[in-house]
Amino acid sequence: MATLRDWIEETLRTQLAPTRLEVVDESHLHAGHSGWREGGETHFRLDVVSAAFEGKSRVERHRLVNGLMDEAFKRGLHALALKARTPGEAA
């Protein structure tokens, strides 16, 4: 089975066709906190730049990404820190 990080990256690439995608496992920063578990892959930081966010509010962008991550949450993802921008905002 692919790592959760790999699954997240593949899902976002397939669904959002991002021009920039950074997926960082920050689980080690949350050791001992709620949702953390040995082995990591519980807390991720995402930086996604995609035309799919055009015309969407910040809340709509976050809902879109969180919806795509439903399976990841079922697999043990606890928290996402998300930056979701359009290509024009990232320039």
Side-chain angles (χ1 to χ4, degrees):
M1 179 184 283
T3 66
L4 187 55
R5 184 199 175 286
D6 290 341
W7 185 91
I8 290 169
E9 186 171 336
E10 178 62 27
T11 299
L12 294 175
R13 286 197 188 284
T14 301
Q15 298 296 318
L16 300 178
T19 56
R20 175 187 168 136
L21 176 61
E22 186 177 355
V23 180
V24 179
D25 185 349
E26 294 186 333
S27 301
H28 64 284
L29 300 174
H30 301 273
H33 297 161
S34 177
W36 178 84
R37 70 173 182 277
E38 191 69 39
E41 297 206 315
T42 57
H43 296 72
F44 283 88
R45 180 174 44 82
L46 306 178
D47 185 0
V48 186
V49 177
S50 173
F53 299 137
E54 295 284 354
K56 291 182 172 43
S57 70
R58 182 176 178 209
V59 170
E60 290 170 322
R61 295 172 189 194
H62 284 236
R63 285 182 179 155
L64 173 60
V65 173
N66 281 318
L68 294 173
M69 294 295 101
D70 185 56
E71 179 63 26
F73 282 104
K74 290 176 183 174
R75 288 179 56 182
L77 176 63
H78 178 72
L80 286 177
L82 175 59
K83 186 185 290 186
R85 299 172 290 163
T86 66
E89 292 168 338

